[in-house]
Amino acid sequence: MGSRVLLALLVSAAACGGDDDGGEGGGGDGGSADSDGGGGPDCTRPDRPAAIVYLNRDGATFTRGPESSVDNTTLVVEEEEFVFEPHPFGETNWTSLVGCFRAGLSGFHIDVVEEDPGAVDHTEIVFSTTWLDTAIASISAFSCASFPRGTAFLFSDNFAESDWQNECDLALQQWGVVAGGLDHSFECRDYMSYLESGCDSKEWVDEPLPCGELEERDCMCDRASQNSYQILLDIYGPACVD
């Protein structure tokens, strides 16, 4: 839990309010859907290609600059460049991790891919090994809106190879930070929460929730509360069932 608290402090201290890469998000034309995101009778698919999330297990070199998964630049890197090593675990861990991550975003108009999509807008999760501070399990830049080309970094050495579920939950949380401009919620059921006690699993909760890490606090970005599901639905739209 200590590593996640450190992450919360780092994210809260990051720049809030967009950057040169245009962090204003993907728009609010998501249409309507049932609260489970499963595409009920009133579901309207967005009239645009699905957004792309790239799960990177190969490692990469990133330089300091505006958030751009295409150009491999990020606000997280403080030096001229930083080499992120490949994901350290085997196929069983990776297959479980990818399946879990896809399931977590299955309610939205999003494609999760394992190959670099190249010079098209996409968010990215780099699964690597330990960061400069070994107590930190993941890190990303934060904006009160989304980064259309944002990247989050998850350091798998903080997990046992068999613990793909917690690895996945944290990856989804960090994706929510960069792709949705989401704060941390003070409700263990939500992916954006650090709390675990009393909850068997996490989801994007379709309710207004208080914000906080280990105790409740005011939400950032002028929000009285946070509904992670509705914010993501407004940005990406629903995954309608044909």
Side-chain angles (χ1 to χ4, degrees):
M1 186 65 73
S3 62
R4 294 190 173 191
V5 175
L6 284 172
L7 169 63
L9 295 174
L10 284 169
V11 171
S12 298
C16 184
D19 63 65
D20 294 341
D21 194 42
E24 286 305 311
D29 56 347
S32 60
D34 292 343
S35 62
D36 65 0
D42 296 327
C43 186
T44 303
R45 188 188 304 276
D47 187 19
R48 62 174 185 271
I52 299 172
V53 184
Y54 168 38
L55 303 185
N56 180 351
R57 69 184 298 191
D58 298 324
T61 299
F62 275 74
T63 57
R64 173 77 178 179
E67 286 297 308
S68 176
S69 54
V70 172
D71 301 311
N72 280 14
T73 58
T74 177
L75 298 168
V76 166
V77 172
E78 297 182 357
E79 310 141 2
E80 183 176 345
E81 68 177 28
F82 189 87
V83 178
F84 293 90
E85 299 295 332
H87 184 248
F89 298 143
E91 287 300 321
T92 298
N93 170 277
W94 183 251
T95 300
S96 299
L97 185 57
V98 171
C100 171
F101 194 94
R102 283 199 171 108
L105 297 186
S106 62
F108 306 109
H109 190 49
I110 293 172
D111 287 336
V112 178
V113 302
E114 299 176 63
E115 299 293 334
D116 191 339
V120 297
D121 283 355
H122 65 276
T123 51
E124 183 170 341
I125 309 290
V126 177
F127 293 86
S128 186
T129 52
T130 307
W131 179 238
L132 297 171
D133 184 340
T134 57
I136 294 177
S138 61
I139 194 168
S140 63
F142 176 78
S143 169
C144 288
S146 65
F147 291 113
R149 294 184 174 186
T151 304
F153 304 89
L154 189 139
F155 308 112
S156 301
D157 281 359
N158 286 270
F159 302 88
E161 185 166 0
S162 61
D163 191 16
W164 54 265
Q165 182 66 62
N166 281 324
E167 193 178 1
C168 171
D169 288 348
L170 186 56
L172 285 163
Q173 182 183 111
Q174 283 294 359
W175 177 83
V177 171
V178 297
L182 295 177
D183 198 349
H184 296 130
S185 60
F186 193 65
E187 166 55 63
C188 67
R189 294 176 295 140
D190 197 55
Y191 279 122
M192 296 310 299
S193 179
Y194 291 128
L195 303 176
E196 297 176 358
S197 178
C199 291
D200 294 330
S201 61
K202 293 184 181 291
E203 62 180 324
W204 304 108
V205 176
D206 190 9
E207 300 172 18
L209 300 176
C211 296
E213 286 78 35
L214 301 185
E215 60 182 27
E216 188 174 336
R217 58 164 171 76
D218 290 340
C219 293
M220 295 186 283
C221 306
D222 297 322
R223 294 173 184 152
S225 60
Q226 176 173 275
N227 184 319
S228 62
Y229 174 80
Q230 289 296 330
I231 291 171
L232 294 175
L233 188 67
D234 285 345
I235 296 172
Y236 295 101
C240 301
V241 178
D242 294 327

